[in-house]
Amino acid sequence: MAESAEGLGTIPEHERILQEIESTDTACVGPTLRSVYDDQPNAHKKFMEKLDACIRNHDKEIEKMCNFHHQGFVDAITELLKVRTDAEKLKVQVTDTNRRFQDAGKEVIVQTEDIIRCRIQQRNITTVVEKLQLCLPVLEMYSKLKEQMSAKRYYSALKTMEQLENVYFPRVSQYRFCQLMIENLPKLRENIKEISMSDLKDFLESIRKHSDKIGETAMKQAHQQKTFSVALQKQNNIKFGKNMRINNDRILEERNEIVLKHALEEEDENEEEVLTVQDLVDFSPVYRCLHIHSVLGSEETFENYYRKQRKKQARLVLQPQSNMHETVDGYRRYFTQIVGFFVVEDHILHVTQGLVTRAYTDELWNMALSKIIAVLRAHSSYCTDPDLVLELKNLIVIFADTLQGYGFPVNRLFDLLFEIRDQYNETLLKKWAGVFRDIFEEDNYSPIPVVSEEEYKIVISKFPFQDPDLEKSFPKKFPMSQSVPHIYIQVKEFIYASLKFSESLHRSSTEIDDMLRKSTNLLLTRTLNSCLLNLIRKPHIGLTELVQIIINTTHLEQACKYLEDFITNITNISQETVHTTRLYGLSTFKDARHAAEGEIYTKLNQKIDEFVQLADYDWTMSEPDGRASGYLMDLINFLRSIFQVFTHLPGKVAQTACMSACQHLSTSLMQMLLDSELKQISMGAVQQFNLDVIQCELFASSEPVPGFQGDTLQLAFIDLRQLLDLFMVWDWSTYLADYGQPASKYLRVNPNTALTLLEKVHRGMKDTSKKNNIFAQFRKNDRDKQKLIETVVKQLRSLVNGMSQHT
């Protein structure tokens, strides 16, 4: 039962498989048959049985179909057999007709073939013409390219290449010659690029060599323009009365007229032909190279190359020569090269788009400016000639004005000029120090004599001196010596020289006035004062010369107000202005006078010492000569003559010199008595010394210099007088009794001094006693006096010891 049930289940499955085999493509039968073998056992046998049954059914159906159509098939065969005969006849007729047609069409075929060949040729000719019409413009353009390359019109050649690539080559790209042309274009471009870069290098080398000529022309034009503008402005000021004349001094006005005339002459000479940078330099290589690289698409590369090369050239231009500071030509070459460099860059900036930019030129200028300032600061420090420094300043001003006209900031250069101005003033001060020294060396230190009014006017034209009494009669003498007007003139020349540097610095009149006054103050307080002090200290300058120097400084001090007026007339800045600097002439010449006065005192004392050194006392003499020593009388006569010269000095100076001389003489005489090498003094020598002191007192009482009150001058010898009186009257008891009392007669006698001199006199008396022991009547007196001296010596020693202990 189970097998029957199983068999019944497989029958529908076999029917399905058979339907799939009949209905599907034979390519898909394999999977269907495989499913038969994958089913249950014995399924294959059952399937084959089922397949046989299905085949038998189909055979039966085919047999039925054939039986149904057999009669029609027989009828069709019969009709075909009937048509066969007619078909053979028709075939014969067609063959015969074809043969006749073939024979008749042979000539037509020949003619037709000729026509076909002509048509093909005609079509080929038309095609060739059309292709040649496409190729001829390409060939013409390429020929044009070759001509442009030969003519070195590279920019046009590049444009022609663009047209060939964009317009013409696409039309004939299928031809081999076109491919050769296309392959050749990059080589041509590279060739053009190399040629243009070579031209650029030649251009860069050319402008490097000619930059100084370019800069020289630019600076010359800027200087001419500025000179003409300044001269024209001065002329307008003269017309409208805005200028002020300098009192009693037309030098500035004459200089202005000369400057104006010179400027107008230069303007007329250069009016006909004004060269520009384009006249001096051919910029076409730059334009061509820029256009070429623009077309080639390498504009940025070209810009970087150009800027890099120009920066290298800038560094070379900014590198100065080692000996540049020796001559102005060295500075001029340095400046003209720099100006030429930046004039070219400014031109490139304005005529090209993007090759250089304002930011690039500003960066390059700032770098160059720092280098220029460092170079000028270093090299100008070596300049010791003020004329060279002034020429350097003028070059810097023209250099700055030229580049400022091209839009470059130059404020730092004018700041540098203020540093150089200080150096210029230093060189001027050194130069004028030599001038002053020469004036002092050539001066005779005597009042200036004038024998006529003409000579008088010559002197006052040089120096502002006013003395109504001096104008009345001739001959006369000016109180100052010849150096005074010469120094006054040289101070004015110094002011002119200092003013030269202040010109064209774009500063106000107030600032110029301040600069002139400060530099003049330096001249007075440092240079002139130093020269005066050195002069005063020179060994060959005597007392007469020192007196004249004091008189000269007095008149120079009085002339300072005229120098202030002179500066005021130059700058038109009133002296009453709040910030106006005053000239320090008062302090300058006051210091010099004090130094001269001190030197007078010193030299006078030295002269006294020279006379004192001539003293030849016989310290053992028994009796005085009865008259003063010869050296002392010569000294007094010398002092009298000197003090007569002092009458031209201020009274206080003469009195101080006289008092100083008397005090120094008194001190020298006292030191002579107390000299440690002098061991003994006789009373005769003391009496002789007293005679000399009396002459000194008589000289002091004769009032050698007026102005002393009472016996003021005699007090210089009071110490000597009281000491000598003590020995002359031998009043030791009074001295010892009144010592320390305000009303003491010998108040100025120091115990130590008295002891020293007394011991020397004691030794002198002992020596005299030994020589005179043959006189018996003097023995007792001498012994008594020696005992008295010994007693006084002991008392003085105790007094001195008590003073030292108290101290």
Side-chain angles (χ1 to χ4, degrees):
M1 291 294 292
E3 292 178 358
S4 62
E6 189 177 314
L8 291 173
T10 57
I11 292 174
E13 181 65 21
H14 292 163
E15 291 179 355
R16 183 185 64 78
I17 291 172
L18 291 174
Q19 290 178 358
E20 287 182 5
I21 292 173
E22 291 177 358
S23 60
T24 60
D25 191 5
T26 55
C28 299
V29 174
T32 304
L33 294 177
R34 191 177 298 111
S35 63
V36 175
Y37 295 96
D38 293 338
D39 290 339
Q40 301 170 0
N42 299 322
H44 175 264
K45 181 178 179 181
K46 294 178 180 179
F47 175 74
M48 292 301 295
E49 291 176 354
K50 188 66 176 176
L51 182 59
D52 291 337
C54 183
I55 292 172
R56 285 193 298 271
N57 290 332
H58 283 297
D59 289 339
K60 290 178 180 180
E61 289 178 0
I62 292 171
E63 184 178 355
K64 289 179 181 180
M65 182 76 66
C66 290
N67 291 331
F68 178 76
H69 293 288
H70 177 72
Q71 187 61 41
F73 177 73
V74 172
D75 292 337
I77 291 300
T78 303
E79 290 180 358
L80 283 174
L81 291 174
K82 293 180 180 180
V83 174
R84 179 177 182 181
T85 305
D86 295 331
E88 290 179 352
K89 291 181 181 180
L90 181 60
K91 179 179 180 182
V92 172
Q93 292 177 357
V94 170
T95 302
D96 183 59
T97 302
N98 180 51
R99 181 180 57 76
R100 290 200 306 268
F101 270 110
Q102 291 294 333
D103 294 338
K106 285 181 180 180
E107 185 177 355
V108 175
I109 289 172
V110 171
Q111 293 179 356
T112 301
E113 288 177 354
D114 293 339
I115 291 173
I116 290 172
R117 277 196 306 274
C118 290
R119 292 288 176 85
I120 290 173
Q121 291 176 354
Q122 185 178 7
R123 186 177 66 248
N124 291 339
I125 291 171
T126 303
T127 302
V128 169
V129 170
E130 291 176 355
K131 297 303 180 182
L132 286 175
Q133 287 177 346
L134 287 176
C135 294
L136 280 176
V138 177
L139 296 173
E140 290 175 356
M141 290 297 290
Y142 197 78
S143 175
K144 181 180 178 181
L145 173 62
K146 289 293 186 181
E147 292 176 358
Q148 291 170 343
M149 290 291 293
S150 300
K152 297 184 179 180
R153 295 174 1 194
Y154 302 116
Y155 180 73
S156 300
L158 289 173
K159 287 295 184 181
T160 302
M161 291 183 193
E162 285 187 352
Q163 291 181 350
L164 285 171
E165 289 178 331
N166 298 328
V167 179
Y168 294 97
F169 283 166
R171 301 175 184 174
V172 293
S173 59
Q174 67 274 23
Y175 301 112
R176 179 170 177 77
F177 78 90
C178 180
Q179 295 298 323
L180 294 175
M181 291 181 181
I182 293 174
E183 293 174 359
N184 195 35
L185 289 186
K187 298 178 182 179
L188 293 176
R189 282 195 174 94
E190 192 63 29
N191 189 21
I192 292 174
K193 195 174 186 180
E194 292 176 358
I195 293 173
S196 64
M197 290 303 291
S198 177
D199 292 343
L200 177 65
K201 291 177 182 178
D202 294 340
F203 167 78
L204 292 176
E205 181 65 21
S206 174
I207 61 173
R208 188 186 68 81
K209 292 180 179 179
H210 297 89
S211 59
D212 54 345
K213 181 64 175 178
I214 300 169
E216 181 182 356
T217 302
M219 290 176 67
K220 184 177 181 181
Q221 292 173 357
H223 176 62
Q224 290 171 352
Q225 182 178 2
K226 182 176 180 179
T227 303
F228 180 76
S229 300
V230 171
L232 189 61
Q233 183 179 3
K234 290 181 179 179
Q235 188 183 37
N236 292 335
N237 290 340
I238 293 173
K239 288 182 179 179
F240 290 97
K242 293 183 180 179
N243 65 320
M244 298 179 64
R245 293 184 179 178
I246 297 177
N247 296 334
N248 300 322
D249 198 343
R250 297 183 179 179
I251 298 177
L252 287 180
E253 182 178 352
E254 293 175 357
R255 290 182 180 179
N256 291 341
E257 292 177 357
I258 293 173
V259 170
L260 175 60
K261 183 178 179 181
H262 183 63
L264 293 174
E265 289 176 355
E266 285 187 354
E267 187 69 20
D268 292 338
E269 291 175 359
N270 297 277
E271 193 175 27
E272 298 178 358
E273 182 179 2
V274 178
L275 297 177
T276 62
V277 66
Q278 294 92 333
D279 299 326
L280 300 173
V281 181
D282 180 17
F283 287 93
S284 57
V286 180
Y287 305 149
R288 286 197 302 269
C289 203
L290 178 61
H291 293 158
I292 287 170
H293 282 78
S294 299
V295 174
L296 295 176
S298 57
E299 186 175 1
E300 184 177 355
T301 303
F302 171 69
E303 293 173 2
N304 293 334
Y305 175 80
Y306 176 83
R307 296 180 184 182
K308 182 179 179 181
Q309 294 300 316
R310 289 296 280 166
K311 283 184 177 180
K312 289 182 179 179
Q313 289 187 345
R315 293 188 183 95
L316 292 175
V317 167
L318 295 172
Q319 190 66 31
Q321 296 181 353
S322 58
N323 61 342
M324 183 178 72
H325 60 276
E326 295 178 357
T327 61
V328 70
D329 291 335
Y331 287 107
R332 183 178 288 108
R333 283 193 299 270
Y334 183 68
F335 286 130
T336 53
Q337 288 178 355
I338 296 173
V339 170
F341 178 89
F342 282 99
V343 167
V344 170
E345 289 304 288
D346 181 77
H347 181 77
I348 294 294
L349 172 66
H350 288 89
V351 300
T352 61
Q353 295 180 353
L355 181 56
V356 295
T357 61
R358 175 57 66 181
Y360 162 77
T361 55
D362 289 344
E363 177 187 359
L364 197 60
W365 169 245
N366 290 331
M367 181 272 291
L369 189 58
S370 299
K371 178 66 175 178
I372 292 168
I373 291 174
V375 168
L376 293 178
R377 187 178 286 124
H379 281 263
S380 63
S381 62
Y382 296 110
C383 295
T384 57
D385 183 8
D387 295 332
L388 179 59
V389 178
L390 183 61
E391 290 182 354
L392 172 61
K393 167 257 173 182
N394 292 331
L395 282 176
I396 294 176
V397 170
I398 297 173
F399 173 75
D401 290 340
T402 303
L403 290 175
Q404 190 176 33
Y406 286 93
F408 295 100
V410 294
N411 293 333
R412 291 174 62 189
L413 286 174
F414 284 101
D415 294 338
L416 174 65
L417 283 174
F418 278 89
E419 298 179 20
I420 298 179
R421 181 201 64 188
D422 297 336
Q423 181 185 348
Y424 175 72
N425 286 336
E426 289 297 325
T427 58
L428 283 181
L429 293 175
K430 291 179 181 178
K431 179 180 179 180
W432 257 258
V435 172
F436 290 149
R437 283 194 296 268
D438 294 340
I439 292 174
F440 290 141
E441 288 292 334
E442 296 171 0
D443 194 10
N444 58 6
Y445 297 99
S446 300
I448 303 174
V450 289
V451 297
S452 63
E453 186 177 359
E454 289 74 15
E455 292 183 1
Y456 173 81
K457 290 181 179 180
I458 292 174
V459 175
I460 63 173
S461 66
K462 298 178 181 178
F463 182 77
F465 180 82
Q466 296 178 354
D467 186 358
D469 295 334
L470 195 61
E471 300 177 5
K472 292 179 181 178
S473 61
F474 298 95
K476 288 281 188 180
K477 288 184 178 180
F478 285 92
M480 65 281 187
S481 66
Q482 193 65 46
S483 62
V484 173
H486 290 168
I487 290 174
Y488 182 78
I489 292 173
Q490 287 302 321
V491 172
K492 291 173 67 175
E493 289 298 324
F494 176 87
I495 295 173
Y496 277 131
S498 182
L499 177 64
K500 288 179 181 179
F501 197 93
S502 302
E503 294 174 346
S504 305
L505 291 185
H506 308 297
R507 298 294 173 177
S508 64
S509 299
T510 304
E511 291 175 305
I512 294 176
D513 181 85
D514 185 63
M515 287 188 287
L516 289 179
R517 292 178 184 273
K518 287 182 178 178
S519 59
T520 306
N521 277 330
L522 283 176
L523 179 72
L524 296 176
T525 58
R526 197 169 76 184
T527 305
L528 182 55
N529 188 41
S530 176
C531 291
L532 283 170
L533 294 178
N534 292 334
L535 173 67
I536 291 168
R537 296 188 183 101
K538 287 185 175 181
H540 70 274
I541 297 296
L543 292 170
T544 305
E545 287 83 0
L546 290 172
V547 171
Q548 187 62 54
I549 289 172
I550 292 177
I551 297 171
N552 290 348
T553 55
T554 302
H555 289 283
L556 286 173
E557 178 183 333
Q558 295 172 356
C560 284
K561 64 179 180 178
Y562 296 100
L563 291 175
E564 290 187 339
D565 294 338
F566 178 73
I567 296 175
T568 299
N569 290 330
I570 291 176
T571 60
N572 295 329
I573 301 299
S574 175
Q575 299 182 32
E576 284 72 24
T577 306
V578 177
H579 301 290
T580 301
T581 304
R582 309 295 297 183
L583 295 184
Y584 301 145
L586 179 62
S587 61
T588 299
F589 299 115
K590 185 177 181 181
D591 294 342
R593 275 199 304 276
H594 286 169
E597 292 168 7
E599 198 67 20
I600 285 177
Y601 306 150
T602 302
K603 287 186 179 295
L604 192 57
N605 292 341
Q606 290 175 353
K607 200 68 178 177
I608 292 173
D609 291 339
E610 292 176 4
F611 278 98
V612 171
Q613 289 175 1
L614 298 176
D616 187 17
Y617 285 101
D618 182 6
W619 298 108
T620 61
M621 66 172 56
S622 58
E623 296 293 334
D625 293 339
R627 62 181 182 276
S629 301
Y631 85 91
L632 187 66
M633 296 307 297
D634 293 339
L635 173 58
I636 290 174
N637 292 331
F638 167 75
L639 292 176
R640 289 185 189 281
S641 63
I642 285 297
F643 291 147
Q644 287 179 358
V645 177
F646 285 6
T647 56
H648 297 291
L649 291 176
K652 187 176 180 180
V653 176
Q655 293 171 11
T656 304
C658 185
M659 177 59 76
S660 173
C662 290
Q663 289 176 346
H664 185 72
L665 177 58
S666 177
T667 303
S668 298
L669 293 175
M670 181 69 79
Q671 289 175 352
M672 190 183 301
L673 284 175
L674 302 178
D675 188 4
S676 60
E677 295 182 358
L678 180 61
K679 302 300 181 181
Q680 60 182 18
I681 302 176
S682 68
M683 283 304 297
V686 172
Q687 293 171 359
Q688 180 63 42
F689 201 83
N690 184 54
L691 291 176
D692 292 344
V693 174
I694 290 173
Q695 288 297 324
C696 293
E697 291 173 333
L698 290 174
F699 168 73
S701 63
S702 67
E703 198 175 5
V705 172
F708 286 107
Q709 295 181 357
D711 57 352
T712 303
L713 191 58
Q714 296 178 22
L715 293 177
F717 302 96
I718 189 64
D719 292 352
L720 271 175
R721 171 47 50 211
Q722 290 185 7
L723 179 63
L724 291 174
D725 285 348
L726 181 60
F727 279 86
M728 294 302 295
V729 298
W730 210 254
D731 195 8
W732 290 103
S733 59
T734 303
Y735 174 73
L736 293 173
D738 295 342
Y739 178 74
Q741 300 297 325
S744 174
K745 181 180 178 180
Y746 305 102
L747 181 63
R748 304 297 296 270
V749 178
N750 186 283
N752 198 4
T753 303
L755 175 62
T756 302
L757 184 58
L758 183 59
E759 289 176 340
K760 293 181 179 182
V761 172
H762 187 200
R763 285 190 290 269
M765 292 179 68
K766 285 183 179 180
D767 186 67
T768 303
S769 297
K770 291 179 181 179
K771 294 179 181 179
N772 299 329
N773 57 7
I774 58 174
F775 300 100
Q777 65 270 22
F778 292 113
R779 290 178 184 173
K780 188 176 184 300
N781 294 335
D782 291 341
R783 286 197 299 268
D784 292 341
K785 199 168 188 178
Q786 288 180 9
K787 289 180 180 180
L788 176 61
I789 291 174
E790 290 174 356
T791 303
V792 173
V793 167
K794 290 179 181 179
Q795 292 178 350
L796 286 174
R797 283 177 179 172
S798 62
L799 186 60
V800 170
N801 293 333
M803 291 174 57
S804 62
Q805 291 176 1
H806 178 71
T807 303

